[in-house]
Amino acid sequence: MKLRTKIHLFTTLLMLILLALMNTGVYVLYEQLAINTEYKQLKTRSEELLTSLNQITDATATDPNFILRAYMPSDGAVRVLNGSGKQISSVYASLEIENIKLQLGKDEKYAKSEIDGIPVIMTETPAIWIDGSVVKLQLLQRLNEVANNAALLKLILVAVTVLIAIPLLLSNMALSRIILKPLERLNLAMKKSGTTGNYEKIERAEVGKDELAEIGRTFNGMMEALETNYRKQEQFVSNASHELRTPLTVIESYAKLLLRRGFTNEKVAQEALEAIVNESGRMTDLIIQMLELAKNKEHASLSVNEIDLSLLLESTAAQMRQAYNRTVELQGEPLLFVYSDEQKLKQLLFILLDNARKYSEDKIVITTKKQDKSICVAIQDFGEGIAEDQIPHLFDRFYRVNKDRNRKTGGTGLGLAIARELSEKLQIHIHVQSELGAGTCFTLLIPFNIDVNKEKDK
Ligand code: ADP
């Protein structure tokens, strides 16, 4: 059964049952109240009859049936029963009522029965009969008026139920439509995604402020994110294969050259082997960096400790001096401490210092400055600089400003992409300032402490 039908059936049935229960209650209450009123009137009448019987002085001169008839309810009867329960006298309006058998139960105020669906009630009062014996006076009455009114009430209640049921049904239909339409759209989009293999979105999901519209928007947002990620992965794979193909082609061509002429010409063999070693080294670097990027994507937890930033910068600079024989100056405030992940911070500094080294010949200057909530570390080189329009793309994977220039420096275009991932993890803000021919400055704003809640939200 479809969800729409289930909602229709359930809500309509429930409402109808509730209405029927309510109406039955009203009907039963009305009938009870009406019979009670009639009973009270009958009781008064029987007391009046009793008084009249008590006033008889000459038993032989008065016909008791005459008095009984005077107090007989319309469409009713009066019966007189002796001590053993035998009927000694009676007057009645019809034979049907005379023949009806009614017995008053213990603690009951009146007995009730029906003739052709019309209620009949009976009251019983003890009395002294004209001959001085103790008798029971029974007054019976058929409640035609009550029956007529109850029938009319029943008709009105049924009509009201039907009248209410129609708008109820319509509103249920509208409600289930409101609920199910967005779900149907969601289902359609998912099915379409399954069959076409595309990241299909829900049409018209942006309208409405309710939870269902919110689900639609979340779904569309999720699809958009998945699509963007997929495109990025696709781009990454195609870039990676392209980058790997170049050194492989070089290796292959030099290996062929080596095969053809390498055994006879030592100079050619030397050149070919050097090129092969260089290119395989480049490939290794590329693969290591690609793995690094993949590793950074996995949300590995940070190991946050107090770091002596001045010491860390000094040791990194010293490594640079040692490895590349370059001048690296350190300026600014000493004794700077931050809470961060030392390994990752060192890796980030190393990428930026290595770039400064690769793309400049002159000295490299590192300047530190304490700020409100962070420490500012500027890495300045005096190299070729970067054109302004290239700066927004620097952190893209495999992006290189000048491919020929970087081939010489052995760059892969992944260093700054890794730096961005690291800085996001460490909540470090990176700013780039550069002037062509004058040099480049990468500025890091390292927070005193990593906001753990922000890290969890990711
Ligand atoms: P690569 O491995 O090529 O250095 P990066 O992602 O580290 O890759 O850098 C991307 C590009 O940005 C580099 O190819 C280079 O052209 C440019 N670049 C990065 N740092 C500097 C710098 N300090 N000076 C000039 N150009 C730079």
Side-chain angles (χ1 to χ4, degrees):
M1 196 190 283
K2 280 193 150 193
L3 190 59
R4 184 188 292 260
T5 326
K6 275 187 199 165
I7 293 178
H8 276 178
L9 262 179
F10 181 75
T11 46
T12 313
L13 261 178
L14 184 76
M15 300 258 186
L16 281 179
I17 288 172
L18 286 178
L19 263 176
L21 277 176
M22 199 177 77
N23 288 345
T24 314
V26 169
Y27 180 80
V28 169
L29 196 72
Y30 164 76
E31 200 179 33
Q32 199 60 41
L33 283 174
I35 291 176
N36 260 348
T37 313
E38 293 295 330
Y39 156 74
K40 277 177 194 153
Q41 283 174 8
L42 205 61
K43 192 79 191 158
T44 317
R45 194 183 280 261
S46 81
E47 272 155 17
E48 283 168 7
L49 172 60
L50 209 65
T51 320
S52 293
L53 282 175
N54 286 344
Q55 281 168 357
I56 297 174
T57 43
D58 186 358
T60 47
T62 320
D63 179 4
N65 278 0
F66 185 70
I67 299 170
L68 294 184
R69 194 166 292 284
Y71 286 95
M72 184 186 80
S74 60
D75 207 1
V78 180
R79 294 171 185 164
V80 182
L81 308 183
N82 65 11
S84 54
K86 194 166 175 290
Q87 188 169 311
I88 51 171
S89 183
S90 76
V91 291
Y92 44 85
S94 65
L95 265 176
E96 286 166 320
I97 202 142
E98 168 62 4
N99 292 336
I100 196 164
K101 295 265 174 292
L102 275 169
Q103 185 93 39
L104 196 68
K106 217 176 150 220
D107 298 331
E108 265 181 0
K109 291 192 286 187
Y110 60 87
K112 185 173 163 267
S113 183
E114 276 183 5
I115 297 172
D116 301 333
I118 298 167
V120 177
I121 57 166
M122 180 201 83
T123 63
E124 202 173 81
T125 327
I128 307 290
W129 192 233
I130 45 172
D131 59 1
S133 61
V134 176
V135 290
K136 282 184 206 159
L137 272 181
Q138 288 187 340
L139 265 79
L140 289 89
Q141 185 174 4
R142 186 145 70 162
L143 307 177
N144 291 318
E145 188 111 347
V146 173
N148 285 344
N149 289 346
L152 186 66
L153 181 67
K154 199 191 266 176
L155 203 75
I156 291 169
L157 290 176
V158 169
V160 167
T161 309
V162 172
L163 278 179
I164 292 178
I166 294 167
L168 263 182
L169 197 76
L170 291 176
S171 76
N172 281 342
M173 279 164 74
L175 189 74
S176 61
R177 207 181 139 77
I178 290 169
I179 297 173
L180 292 178
K181 202 78 205 157
L183 292 181
E184 276 168 9
R185 281 202 210 119
L186 181 69
N187 188 23
L188 198 79
M190 288 197 283
K191 270 189 186 160
K192 227 168 146 188
S193 293
T195 48
T196 60
N198 292 333
Y199 294 91
E200 299 289 343
K201 296 188 195 79
I202 305 173
E203 287 163 32
R204 289 185 288 136
E206 65 287 347
V207 284
K209 284 183 182 160
D210 52 82
E211 290 82 348
L212 287 165
E214 188 64 40
I215 289 177
R217 281 192 290 271
T218 312
F219 177 82
N220 278 359
M222 193 180 76
M223 281 299 178
E224 221 167 274
L226 281 175
E227 190 169 12
T228 316
N229 258 341
Y230 177 74
R231 300 269 169 259
K232 271 190 187 167
Q233 296 289 343
E234 221 177 30
Q235 184 74 29
F236 182 74
V237 170
S238 91
N239 283 343
S241 52
H242 178 261
E243 293 299 319
L244 286 169
R245 201 170 333 122
T246 319
L248 273 175
T249 316
V250 176
I251 290 173
E252 192 187 2
S253 62
Y254 273 107
K256 278 180 183 162
L257 180 70
L258 199 60
L259 259 182
R260 267 188 280 118
R261 292 168 51 201
F263 295 104
T264 51
N265 189 333
E266 199 178 321
K267 202 167 159 244
V268 169
Q270 178 77 19
E271 186 196 328
L273 283 172
E274 265 173 23
I276 289 171
V277 169
N278 276 346
E279 289 305 309
S280 49
R282 240 176 72 76
M283 265 175 68
T284 314
D285 284 350
L286 196 67
I287 289 166
I288 288 172
Q289 284 190 314
M290 283 188 334
L291 285 175
E292 190 65 39
L293 263 181
K295 203 166 72 190
N296 277 336
K297 268 282 162 213
E298 296 164 12
H299 287 276
S301 61
L302 294 174
S303 125
V304 180
N305 287 306
E306 193 184 22
I307 306 167
D308 182 341
L309 189 62
S310 317
L311 204 70
L312 182 72
L313 286 170
E314 184 49 58
S315 71
T316 320
Q319 279 175 13
M320 276 282 149
R321 288 186 202 114
Q322 176 74 25
Y324 300 104
N325 198 20
R326 291 282 297 266
T327 313
V328 184
E329 281 178 15
L330 215 70
Q331 300 174 355
E333 300 172 38
L335 294 170
L336 297 168
F337 292 91
V338 288
Y339 278 90
S340 195
D341 186 311
E342 186 166 359
Q343 271 311 106
K344 291 194 167 54
L345 185 58
K346 191 168 176 168
Q347 198 182 351
L348 172 62
L349 290 170
F350 211 88
I351 291 171
L352 299 181
L353 278 170
D354 196 42
N355 275 353
R357 170 197 67 83
K358 279 193 294 190
Y359 303 111
S360 74
E361 306 286 329
D362 210 342
K363 64 175 179 182
I364 300 163
V365 182
I366 305 173
T367 319
T368 52
K369 197 169 168 230
K370 216 173 187 170
Q371 288 193 345
D372 228 15
K373 289 178 181 166
S374 55
I375 293 172
C376 172
V377 177
I379 299 168
Q380 171 81 57
D381 68 58
F382 302 93
E384 58 247 315
I386 309 161
E388 209 177 320
D389 60 322
Q390 314 263 13
I391 291 179
H393 309 288
L394 286 185
F395 296 91
D396 293 350
R397 289 168 180 184
F398 297 107
Y399 185 80
R400 276 171 291 173
V401 172
N402 180 332
K403 302 229 168 186
D404 289 339
R405 181 175 97 191
N406 290 299
R407 191 142 285 285
K408 275 181 240 137
T409 57
T412 58
L414 288 175
L416 287 181
I418 297 172
R420 185 180 57 182
E421 304 253 327
L422 288 169
S423 67
E424 275 170 9
K425 270 187 167 275
L426 301 176
Q427 294 163 16
I428 293 174
H429 178 76
I430 305 187
H431 177 69
V432 190
Q433 226 180 348
S434 188
E435 201 181 318
L436 268 180
T440 308
C441 181
F442 279 84
T443 311
L444 303 180
L445 288 181
I446 308 171
F448 288 130
N449 210 337
I450 288 178
D451 185 348
V452 189
N453 293 331
K454 243 194 207 170
E455 181 59 23
K456 268 188 207 152
D457 290 348
K458 279 188 199 167

